Amino acid sequence: MRTRFTYTPRRSLGALLLAGLLSIPAPSAHAGGVEATVAGARGVGRGGAMAASATGFDALRYNPARLHLGGAWNVGLDAQMHFIDVCFDRLDTDGRTYPTVCNSAPPLVVPQLGVTIAIGDRVGLGFGILPPPSGTSLFEFGDDQDGTILVDGQPVASPSRYANVITDNTGLFPTLALSASLHERVRMGFSFGAGVFMVNSISYTAGLPGAGPSFDTRTALSGRDLFVPRVGLALDVTPIDGLNVSWVTHYTADLNAEAALFLSGETGGGYSVRVNDVSVNQPFGWESTVAVRYAQPRFDVELDLMYQGHAATQRTTVDIPDDAVLPIDVSINGEPLGALPDERYVERRWKNQFVLRAGGDALVVPERLWVRAGFTFESNGNQQAYTSVENFLARRIGIHLGASVQVHPVLQVSLGYSRVFQPDVTVDPQDARVPQATASRPPPLDDPDRTVYVNGGTYRGGMHVLALGLTFQPAAAAPARAQEAP
């Protein structure tokens, strides 16, 4: 038998608390963010200034027009370790403060593997397993079972629980590429990647606006998209000896993940339900780079200017089956509280970004040791009012160092380190626009003035990156590597 209520705030309170599970966490498949960095050990060391200098496996990542410039064959294997710092000091409009919450996830390891083959002097082929445009995401802002953090040894609700507690996304792009020389000084390239994404996140839903954590619902989303196309086009020109000019553009299709929702809580004796056939959409966009490099046998310097079309990502959309319901037999004024919303939108409000990458190499010991350094700058990536712990795309700069050692005629070992800095970002609670996830809001709780925004406060972040790379190449290519300043 369905219980019916005539609405009053007092009588409906218990029903709303019982139904406090109608908000869906969205994936954090960033095109930017503090986890973003450049790829490859050599790239890390020179700040990603690679579009006009990459050869072999690096060319597969940065400029497919240069695949055939790295010798008869090239095998690259490397991994990066990301130490990601993000901290949040929450502040509400009423002046209430919260304990600081920081990312406690372990370091993120991003492996990559690739092979390139030169067919004569004018054609190159490449295949590799590459990371997404900005790497993968791993954040933890509370316990994955109850969403709490420890303060003086006692568990308390994580201040970020309504935006994000856990993000554990993984992406890989198996990529094929082709290069061809139209002329000895003009090269073109094409690449195609078929991305595979695993999307996982956990957040919490309040029973009604402003309610405390006692009646929260744990809301977890798990999904995958096994085919996210990514296409690259490149042109590389050597107008005079020692000078290279390159243009590279990549476009990545939308993420459209098939997912399931897992909703659980302790209210009303406890509940746990799985909702299948959920779909998640998030656009990615495009990026285009113009690079200029000047090289001599013992050194090279390069400047890359990149423009990223990330404004395509205004929101993440979670589409729920129309017939999805919760095991709750309660209604308010005839409105069943067990029905889940058809869609939920999580506002991202990303912006197009400008990126500058500058770096270079110096040959210290002929055919044996190279050292490198670089600098990066990236403009703000999202509207400040929509900043949250997993939507934190502040302006950032990076300092990069690295080296390569020829340890064997066919083996080169590369090391890279970068330190990424971000300024503190403060979102005035009056300007915050990330709402507290709540249950059904019948009148008058649907009044916009009753919305509670939970992203006010100060955000701090940065990152350390360590990279190790192994490059296998025929010994005959060693003199060419000296000219290319690897």
Side-chain angles (χ1 to χ4, degrees):
M1 177 178 181
R2 181 175 295 277
T3 304
R4 298 184 180 275
F5 292 85
T6 299
Y7 177 77
T8 66
R10 182 176 179 180
R11 294 188 66 183
S12 66
L13 178 60
L16 283 170
L17 295 176
L18 186 64
L21 37 78
L22 298 185
S23 179
I24 312 305
S28 178
H30 298 312
V34 298
E35 81 284 8
T37 185
V38 296
R42 183 183 172 215
V44 169
R46 56 188 281 143
M50 296 282 289
S53 61
T55 60
F57 180 33
D58 286 329
L60 183 65
R61 292 180 278 212
Y62 286 96
N63 186 346
R66 297 175 57 86
L67 288 171
H68 57 287
L69 300 182
W73 56 269
N74 178 290
V75 178
L77 172 66
D78 62 38
Q80 296 160 222
M81 183 174 290
H82 299 181
F83 299 84
I84 305 169
D85 300 319
V86 178
C87 291
F88 176 38
D89 296 302
R90 182 178 166 186
L91 176 65
D92 287 349
T93 54
D94 61 4
R96 180 182 176 185
T97 60
Y98 296 78
T100 299
V101 60
C102 295
N103 177 35
S104 59
L108 174 67
V109 178
V110 182
Q112 299 154 79
L113 170 68
V115 178
T116 62
I117 300 173
I119 303 174
D121 296 330
R122 290 181 174 265
V123 177
L125 299 174
F127 172 75
I129 307 297
L130 307 181
S134 62
T136 52
S137 305
L138 182 62
F139 295 110
E140 182 175 336
F141 296 99
D143 184 87
D144 62 351
Q145 295 301 312
D146 60 14
T148 62
I149 61 173
L150 293 178
V151 177
D152 296 329
Q154 299 298 316
V156 299
S158 172
S160 70
R161 64 195 278 118
Y162 300 115
N164 185 258
V165 174
I166 301 289
T167 293
D168 186 3
N169 296 337
T170 302
L172 292 173
F173 273 84
T175 300
L176 287 168
L178 170 69
S179 67
S181 285
L182 306 179
H183 180 274
E184 63 179 6
R185 293 183 179 271
V186 180
R187 296 160 287 275
M188 296 188 67
F190 170 80
S191 66
F192 177 80
V196 177
F197 279 87
M198 303 296 176
V199 176
N200 298 279
S201 63
I202 299 172
S203 67
Y204 281 75
T205 302
L208 75 168
S214 299
F215 298 96
D216 283 353
T217 293
R218 183 180 184 271
T219 311
L221 178 118
S222 180
R224 62 184 183 179
D225 188 342
L226 301 182
F227 185 67
V228 179
R230 187 171 193 247
V231 177
L233 296 174
L235 176 66
D236 185 71
V237 179
T238 307
I240 60 174
D241 291 346
L243 181 67
N244 271 80
V245 180
S246 301
W247 165 82
V248 184
T249 293
H250 286 96
Y251 168 77
T252 306
D254 291 4
L255 171 77
N256 290 293
E258 298 177 356
L261 281 170
F262 301 86
L263 309 171
S264 60
E266 300 301 325
T267 305
Y271 50 84
S272 179
V273 62
R274 170 175 175 153
V275 178
N276 294 317
D277 300 322
V278 175
S279 63
V280 182
N281 170 265
Q282 180 167 308
F284 281 122
W286 56 272
E287 59 186 35
S288 190
T289 302
V290 175
V292 178
R293 176 210 185 203
Y294 178 72
Q296 292 295 314
R298 297 188 67 92
F299 74 93
D300 84 315
V301 291
E302 180 174 338
L303 178 67
D304 292 13
L305 300 177
M306 177 186 294
Y307 192 71
Q308 299 177 323
H310 293 163
T313 305
Q314 290 298 295
R315 57 173 46 167
T316 299
T317 303
V318 181
D319 193 335
I320 306 168
D322 296 344
D323 59 352
V325 295
L326 301 172
I328 298 174
D329 193 24
V330 176
S331 65
I332 295 179
N333 291 341
E335 178 183 341
L337 296 185
L340 291 170
D342 293 339
E343 289 184 327
R344 176 166 180 238
Y345 303 104
V346 179
E347 301 298 334
R348 297 295 185 191
R349 305 300 177 96
W350 290 359
K351 301 189 296 186
N352 292 340
Q353 293 173 268
F354 170 79
V355 179
L356 181 148
R357 295 172 172 176
D361 287 22
L363 179 60
V364 178
V365 179
E367 301 184 19
R368 179 66 64 177
L369 174 64
W370 297 260
V371 296
R372 59 186 57 97
F375 171 83
T376 56
F377 167 82
E378 184 171 337
S379 63
N380 290 339
N382 69 293
Q383 295 182 32
Q384 186 167 317
Y386 295 88
T387 298
S388 69
V389 290
E390 46 83 60
N391 195 44
F392 182 24
L393 285 74
R395 182 183 72 253
R396 55 183 174 259
I397 62 172
I399 306 298
H400 306 255
L401 298 170
S404 292
V405 180
Q406 196 73 31
V407 298
H408 185 274
V410 298
L411 174 61
Q412 186 179 105
V413 177
S414 297
L415 299 173
Y417 168 76
S418 66
R419 176 70 170 101
V420 179
F421 300 90
Q422 294 185 221
D424 295 351
V425 173
T426 298
V427 179
D428 190 304
Q430 299 290 343
D431 299 328
R433 285 298 176 268
V434 176
Q436 181 188 44
T438 59
S440 179
R441 298 174 61 181
L445 295 181
D446 59 348
D447 186 340
D449 291 339
R450 291 178 178 259
T451 300
V452 176
Y453 296 100
V454 295
N455 66 314
T458 298
Y459 297 81
R460 294 172 281 118
M463 180 172 59
H464 298 267
V465 178
L466 295 175
L468 170 65
L470 305 177
T471 301
F472 298 88
Q473 207 165 349
R481 282 198 297 269
Q483 291 291 332
E484 287 293 333

